[in-house]
Amino acid sequence: MSVTISPDILGLVAHLDGDPIAQRAVIGSRFPREYAEDEDGSYPTGYRVDLFELNVSNVNFAVLWGELGWHEPDWVGSMPAGELFDRVVTATALVETDLSSETVVRKAPGGPTMIECGRPRGYLQEKLRALAQVARQAMDLGVGVVWT
């Protein structure tokens, strides 16, 4: 299982109300084959929008969420991009270089095998930088940030 954090594409589409070509291109940035491509497979000129997104495992999302100042992960949600950006800047300043963590495999007799993948050194800093890109792009686009 994982969580994906990105600019609010539906909010952006609503913001572009009255410009169906731009709306189609924005939706196509996320779902290119189904929505945005012209019959020849190209995008409408000038309307390709490459959206940043961050995908992390549930375990790593919970750790990242904690670094942002929340205690219980909210697995689905949204917030203003500026608020998330401020939290990311604060977390980046406060988080120490995280050490790598080992992969842990647990198997209960007769039950499933649970694997918690480890993280390389500096993983949190890398993901905080990526999260800052998502928030900054959402601010530039005038929309919030969503995660599912």
Side-chain angles (χ1 to χ4, degrees), residues 7-120:
D8 180 6
I9 192 164
L10 296 178
L12 182 55
V13 169
H15 182 69
L16 295 170
D17 189 31
D19 190 344
I21 294 174
Q23 286 179 324
R24 190 178 69 147
V26 168
I27 292 171
S29 299
R30 190 64 178 259
F31 311 103
R33 295 190 202 288
E34 294 87 349
Y35 296 99
E37 293 178 348
D38 287 332
E39 290 177 12
D40 66 357
S42 66
Y43 287 91
T45 304
Y47 284 105
R48 175 82 174 138
V49 177
D50 292 316
L51 296 175
F52 289 114
E53 67 179 23
L54 173 63
N55 184 271
V56 293
S57 72
N58 284 359
V59 170
N60 288 329
F61 179 76
V63 172
L64 193 57
W65 193 257
E67 293 297 335
L68 294 173
W70 292 292
H71 300 291
E72 292 293 321
D74 186 2
W75 303 108
V76 176
S78 65
M79 72 170 27
E83 180 181 338
L84 179 62
F85 186 78
D86 291 346
R87 284 181 175 268
V88 170
V89 168
T90 300
T92 301
L94 295 176
V95 72
E96 296 179 19
T97 301
D98 62 310
L99 303 176
S100 60
S101 61
E102 299 294 322
T103 298
V104 176
V105 178
R106 288 182 268 168
K107 177 148 179 70
T113 300
M114 300 301 289
I115 301 172
E116 294 179 21
C117 297
R119 289 190 304 268

